[in-house]
Amino acid sequence: MNERVQFPLSAQDIPRAWYNLAADLPDLAAPRHPATGRAITVDDLLPIVPAELARQELTLDREVEIPEPVRRIYARWRPSPLVRARGLERALDTPARIYYKYEGVSPTGSHKPNTAIAQAYYNKQAGITKLATETGAGQWGSSLALAGALFGLDVSVYMVRVSFDQKPYRQLLMQTYGARCVPSPSSETETGRSILARDPDSPGSLGIASSEAVEIAAQDPSTNYACGSVLNHVLLHQTVIGQEAIAQFALADDYPDVVIGCAGGGSNLGGLSFPFLGEQLRGGRSVRVIAAEPASCPSMTRGTLAYDFGDTAGFTPLLRMHTLGHGFIPPPLHAGGLRYHGMAPLVSEAVAQGLIEPVAVAQSACFAAGVRFARAEGIVPAPESCHAVETAIREALRSKEEGVGRTVLFGLSGHGHFDLSAYGEYFSGTLQDEEFDVGGMYAALAGLPDV
Ligand SMILES: *Cc1c(COP(=O)(O)O)cnc(C)c1O
């Protein structure tokens, strides 16, 4: 047993502060008010989030202290494992050293509780009793449902229609935690009703579901909105992932040359890579960071960097981000967590500055990589995470071609136990690689707001 595969930390090693990349990333554009176009203030956000989260959204402080009650809940599954993928290395016969940081050990099986727990905590402290949110594949909805159960908050989840139909077990999980899950577009909001009037069979989108949740939160003083990705404070909360990874690499006596994450709204990628980028920006070691996005919803590799709304109806602040247009409706791919028209402003700015390299990956290649990974390492990756697995395999094979033993780290953002029917489609050969709808993107980009 001289082949170490794990580099375990103890509960005391859970970070005491989140790391804010905005402190080290010059020229990050501020969010703007959706009606007036001026820079947003904390007060503008108070109708939908508690003051502390509004402050975190706009702060340039490098560190934000993690409240003890949040750390205590993190300790139920954190620090999450950093694993050396010896099985995959052997299967690929590569000189690369491959590691993955596994977030599937959380109760809901992904990284999402890292921010759900924090958001529920601050809302509870502020006297809020209800939270409304959107969910794509259901990982965010079930994570907020978990957080609601732990802090005694009522949670309503607007779930993208196509995923609601594809993933019945995620709804049941939300119900188990006591949350209410509604297919979106729904008839509960103005936004949902107007979309259903135009298209009764709308598959929905994260943008539409966000509008529904924000609409409900804006109208009811006891309800706030909780966001699963994209926003600065969400990426901030996810930085426990990368900070732990840095400490674990010290135990492994190694350091990544390449850091890879899948990117839907950018939160697991940001959470893993920002602490490494922070080291680099402050004069430490450099890393190559790669963001893997779906070829059929390619905001970074095909979209435009511009101010756009985070949601379809235009209720959210304007965010400067890579976007396919807030009216773009992505095809119903299985990695539902990656079906979003935009990308986090922090990730977008890092891409614009050449700190993060985006790549697009086709759905079938991702499932092939997921199966290969499962057979070598034993863990079945979530379809979203398969984008990172495929990209890591490519890097390891390039390492082999070039005869260079690089260290590759990727984020295994979640397990795929609720996604086995998608694996089933892959096995039966019925899984389609959806084309990217270029025309749909140009039509949606024509509707970008004037800023
Ligand atoms: C939600 C989700 C994603 C995509 O969201 P990001 O904010 O880009 O991280 C990726 N992987 C898993 C397992 C998810 O649940």
Side-chain angles (χ1 to χ4, degrees), residues 109-112 139-140 228-230 234-235 262-269 337-338 343 382 384-385 412-415:
S110 78
H111 63 290
K112 296 227 168 59
Q139 288 111 328
W140 170 242
S229 185
V230 181
V234 179
L235 273 62
C262 65
S267 74
N268 87 86
L269 167 78
L338 307 183
M343 183 51 56
E384 291 83 1
S385 316
L412 190 60
S413 52
H415 66 64

Side-chain angles (χ1 to χ4, degrees), residues 158-161 182-216 219 311-315 329:
Y158 294 85
M159 183 169 186
V160 176
R161 169 104 246 171
V182 184
S184 163
S186 80
S187 55
E188 296 188 357
T189 63
E190 268 316 305
T191 309
R193 285 190 291 272
S194 81
I195 286 169
L196 289 174
R198 270 179 282 141
D199 179 6
D201 298 322
S202 168
S205 70
L206 274 173
I208 295 171
S210 307
S211 294
E212 293 207 86
V214 174
E215 188 183 318
I216 297 279
Q219 280 167 3
D311 66 327
T312 303
F315 299 144
I329 298 199

Side-chain angles (χ1 to χ4, degrees), residues 45-57:
L45 297 171
L46 296 183
I48 56 169
V49 297
E52 177 55 20
L53 290 176
R55 189 192 74 76
Q56 291 179 11
E57 186 59 26

